[in-house]
Amino acid sequence: LLGATVTVAICSEFLVDSIEGVTEEYGLPGAFIGVILLPIVGNAAEHATAVTVAAKGKMDLALGVAVGSSTQIALLVVPFSVIVGWVFDVPMSLDFRIFDTAVMILSVFITHTTLQDGCSNWLEGCILVAIYILIAIICWYIPDEKEGHA
């Protein structure tokens, strides 16, 4: 387990270090990479687990994996990253842009309304996918902070 953790940490470091080069070489916006691509790549194992157990009819477990991961990131990893940033004198804060805050509130609201009745259908799935695509398109066109203040 320790070896796997170290290997994942090293791979993550290489992945994060390559972001700047990818944005410059391919013209991908930083917001798109951070909000869309990194979560897909970083949580691929969790996505596969959720889909596998959902296909077996164990929706409680699938929802627990999907929602639990998001909750863990929002309530533990982000604040912990800010505290570690302060310790190492890296400028980080929880002062998000209006768009980021709106997406977070929208995500919580839509997750709540989708899960509150305890069942789902194809229309709710299509709505969730459409909202994800809409957020991806907006992230593609949203200016980076460096460009926005210039």
Side-chain angles (χ1 to χ4, degrees):
L1 186 59
L2 180 64
T5 303
V6 170
T7 303
V8 168
I10 292 170
C11 290
S12 297
E13 188 65 31
F14 285 130
L15 180 66
V16 170
D17 288 342
S18 67
I19 290 174
E20 190 172 322
V22 170
T23 57
E24 291 174 3
E25 186 173 339
Y26 296 107
L28 294 174
F32 182 80
I33 291 174
V35 174
I36 304 299
L37 293 183
L38 282 180
I40 289 174
V41 173
N43 297 329
E46 290 175 359
H47 299 318
T49 301
V51 169
T52 302
V53 296
K56 294 178 182 176
K58 300 177 182 177
M59 290 305 294
D60 289 342
L61 181 57
L63 290 172
V65 168
V67 175
S69 172
S70 300
T71 304
Q72 182 182 20
I73 296 295
L75 296 178
L76 175 69
V77 175
V78 173
F80 182 73
S81 299
V82 171
I83 292 169
V84 170
W86 288 339
V87 170
F88 289 105
D89 199 30
V90 175
M92 297 179 78
S93 74
L94 294 175
D95 185 21
F96 298 114
R97 298 176 295 187
I98 296 294
F99 172 74
D100 299 329
T101 305
V103 167
M104 181 64 76
I105 292 170
L106 177 70
S107 300
V108 170
F109 176 72
I110 291 172
T111 301
H112 171 72
T113 56
T114 302
L115 299 178
Q116 76 181 3
D117 61 355
C119 61
S120 183
N121 57 41
W122 64 270
L123 182 60
E124 287 180 342
C126 288
I127 291 171
L128 292 173
V129 170
I131 291 170
Y132 189 78
I133 291 171
L134 180 64
I135 291 170
I137 291 170
I138 293 171
C139 285
W140 184 270
Y141 290 106
I142 197 167
D144 288 334
E145 287 190 24
K146 291 180 273 185
E147 297 170 5
H149 291 102

